[in-house]
Amino acid sequence: MTSTHAFWLAGRQATGEDTIDVTSPWDGRLVGTVAVPGEAQVEEAVAAAYAVRDEFAATPAHLRAAALDHVSRRIVERADEIARLISAENGKPLKWARGEVGRAVSVFRFAAEEARRFNGGDAQRLDTDPGGAGRLALTRRFTRGAVLGIAPFNFPLNLCAHKIAPAIAVGAPIILKPAPATPLSGLLLGELLAETDLPAGAWSVLPVPNDRMPALVEDERLPVISFTGSDKVGFAIMDSVPRKHITLELGGNGAAVVLADYASEKDLDWAATRIATFANYQAGQSCISVQRVIADASVYERLVPRIVAAVEAQITGDPADESTDVGPLVSEDAARRVESWVDEAVRSGAQVLAGGKRDGAAYAPTVLSEVPADTKVSREEVFGPVLTLRRVEGESEAFAAVNDSKYGLQAGVFTHDVQAAFRAHRALEVGGVIIGDVPSYRADQMPYGGVKQSGVGREGVRFAMDDYTYERVMVFTGLDL
């Protein structure tokens, strides 16, 4: 994994004058050297995507579906290799990397299935009023044009899949920009796409540095942008190109609510285990990791020691070790930022119940209580293995605490009360409410996205396909209906 990796320009391999090194967050070793496209090569990729847009949109569904099926099968065949690549470049423990590979297999399979049934058209009789006598409307969806997909480092394979697969399914050319810290997984997807019969220009994988991203964002030949990353960068993109169609999947500070009825020993053990696991998986580097626990006062004292014990039981260390639960953050700078935020909270009065220590790029799984509401770990997205605890009096206060955030991605509500579940669904200002589990649950076929500063639009294969297309109606006149 230390050879130089070419990038993918309009479906073919290419190299540039510059390279970047990809290093392991765990031990700093060189994982691979990646060729970086020059400006002329980026222009060639964009021009090819723009030129092929009509041809690609007109390709038969079976061709696009076959390509997606092929990628899904090939990921299965190379699953262990890909998981180890993710772990090496990202620092993700191998067990979680394998889970990511499995999800990417499903994403491409779901996209193949959707490609086969997409755009059959909806017919609507218009003779419900006299002026529509003999008229029938047929509505189909058509691509908006070429897509710029910008992927983050935390799921370097699956979030690339969530950009690429829906675009291919609808016949929209895509230029993928993987994260500079983790480009190898995206480039491997390019390797698998190159084995298909998709037209030249239908896809490119360009590991350009972030400082060259604005030129791609502003290019009028790329009318659709799908971005996953920080709210600061996402909304800066939206502000810079307000007339483009933009999907933003941004940050969160996910809350897990434990209501009073979730009170048996079994209930609390389950909640604590799930909270501890999904506050720390990916070292907390997930938009829907558990950051805030909001527990009813009637269960708080019994729940907290269970959470602390479950967090302390998380195995930290080498991400290549099969037993490791929590690996390093993506960089030492990221770990230093988490450290500074926890230190700020402690200076403001927070109590450290577990963790609170940094070792290089690794930060120990941490539990904080009595955290002031105005500290960064309460208000911002920590994006690290840090969990805060809060006691509330009753359901209304719990739901208000969830909503007291600029973010609104997903929330988990531990309850057995179906009526409480529906009240949560109505009251919580988030894109997804998970009942009986943490906010970290995501099925790749479901709609996924947030409100407020957590973004606009939805991912999930079918929902991204809708975002990449628009409705166009055709009216037939003079029919004998």
Side-chain angles (χ1 to χ4, degrees):
M1 290 191 294
T2 57
S3 59
T4 299
H5 298 258
F7 54 85
W8 295 92
L9 195 169
R12 72 178 193 278
Q13 286 189 308
T15 57
E17 295 182 0
D18 296 328
T19 60
I20 55 172
D21 288 337
V22 180
T23 58
S24 165
W26 171 247
D27 56 14
R29 68 184 172 86
L30 180 66
V31 179
T33 299
V34 172
V36 177
E39 291 184 9
Q41 291 168 313
V42 172
E43 165 59 27
E44 183 180 348
V46 174
Y50 184 75
V52 81
R53 68 194 188 285
D54 292 336
E55 175 192 344
F56 192 30
T59 53
H62 71 82
L63 187 149
R64 288 177 270 118
L68 293 161
D69 273 332
H70 174 84
V71 174
S72 181
R73 288 192 302 270
R74 292 287 284 137
I75 294 174
V76 171
E77 292 169 2
R78 299 176 63 177
D80 187 67
E81 170 198 351
I82 297 171
R84 293 183 185 280
L85 178 64
I86 292 170
S87 183
E89 70 170 340
N90 172 274
K92 182 175 300 191
L94 201 53
K95 64 170 64 175
W96 295 114
R98 288 199 175 101
E100 181 175 348
V101 171
R103 289 179 60 188
V105 170
S106 296
V107 168
F108 279 97
R109 188 182 72 249
F110 294 151
E113 295 166 356
E114 293 292 351
R116 291 185 174 97
R117 58 177 170 252
F118 185 70
N119 213 7
D122 295 319
Q124 180 184 16
R125 292 180 66 136
L126 302 180
D127 60 355
T128 49
D129 286 321
R135 294 180 186 266
L136 181 77
L138 179 67
T139 303
R140 295 191 293 158
R141 301 191 71 88
F142 294 85
T143 62
R144 298 178 184 273
V147 177
L148 172 61
I150 305 170
F153 71 83
N154 56 330
F155 290 85
L157 180 77
N158 197 44
L159 291 184
C160 288
H162 270 285
K163 308 302 181 190
I164 292 172
I168 291 173
V170 300
I174 181 165
I175 290 177
L176 176 74
K177 181 200 172 301
T182 57
L184 298 174
S185 298
L187 292 171
L188 190 143
L189 284 179
E191 183 178 336
L192 304 184
L193 287 167
E195 298 170 355
T196 71
D197 294 326
L198 295 174
W203 57 275
S204 294
V205 182
L206 304 180
V208 297
N210 287 340
D211 60 5
R212 290 173 55 194
M213 187 169 70
L216 278 169
V217 166
E218 294 166 10
D219 197 303
E220 293 182 357
R221 295 167 295 180
L222 302 172
V224 180
I225 298 174
S226 178
F227 171 85
T228 301
S230 73
D231 56 325
K232 179 180 178 181
V233 175
F235 285 115
I237 289 173
M238 179 173 281
D239 290 343
S240 70
V241 284
R243 291 177 177 81
K244 288 196 176 190
H245 186 85
I246 298 175
T247 298
L248 301 177
E249 197 282 282
L250 308 178
N253 56 1
V257 176
V258 184
L259 294 180
D261 72 290
Y262 214 80
S264 73
E265 301 296 305
K266 181 180 179 181
D267 287 342
L268 296 178
D269 286 343
W270 164 258
T273 299
R274 298 294 284 177
I275 287 167
T277 298
F278 288 96
N280 296 293
Y281 84 127
Q282 333 285 345
Q285 298 170 120
S286 167
C287 300
I288 46 177
S289 67
V290 185
Q291 183 173 326
R292 298 181 291 155
V293 175
I294 299 165
D296 190 89
S298 64
V299 299
Y300 185 86
E301 296 298 337
R302 295 164 59 213
L303 177 65
V304 169
R306 286 174 162 87
I307 291 176
V308 172
V311 168
E312 290 179 335
Q314 297 287 302
I315 298 173
T316 62
D318 186 347
D321 189 320
E322 298 282 355
S323 66
T324 297
D325 299 311
V326 186
L329 279 78
V330 72
S331 68
E332 189 165 346
D333 284 345
R336 286 197 187 99
R337 178 191 55 75
V338 172
E339 179 182 44
S340 71
W341 286 17
V342 172
D343 289 348
E344 177 209 37
V346 171
R347 288 194 302 270
S348 300
Q351 302 297 308
V352 179
L353 304 185
K357 302 294 183 182
R358 181 180 67 83
D359 181 8
Y363 196 82
T366 297
V367 182
L368 303 175
S369 66
E370 311 299 328
V371 182
D374 60 351
T375 58
K376 290 185 178 72
V377 294
S378 290
R379 309 304 300 178
E380 303 295 332
E381 180 182 39
V382 176
F383 225 58
V386 177
L387 184 63
T388 67
L389 306 176
R390 177 174 175 178
R391 182 199 318 252
V392 294
E393 298 287 346
E395 178 187 298
S396 295
E397 186 178 342
F399 292 170
V402 174
N403 290 340
D404 183 21
S405 172
K406 66 183 180 180
Y407 298 109
L409 191 48
Q410 291 196 161
V413 180
F414 289 91
T415 183
H416 299 294
D417 185 339
V418 174
Q419 293 294 344
F422 276 90
R423 288 192 295 269
H425 199 202
R426 183 168 58 248
L428 297 180
E429 298 166 353
V430 294
V433 179
I434 314 301
I435 302 299
D437 206 350
V438 290
S440 317
Y441 176 79
R442 178 184 180 184
D444 292 284
Q445 70 270 39
M446 78 184 200
Y448 175 76
V451 296
K452 299 192 280 190
Q453 290 192 33
S454 288
V456 294
R458 292 294 180 267
E459 288 194 338
V461 175
R462 176 57 196 261
F463 303 92
M465 290 167 68
D466 286 345
D467 244 354
Y468 292 169
T469 56
Y470 69 98
E471 295 171 316
R472 185 187 300 167
V473 65
M474 176 170 59
V475 176
F476 291 93
T477 304
L479 299 180
D480 185 3
L481 296 175

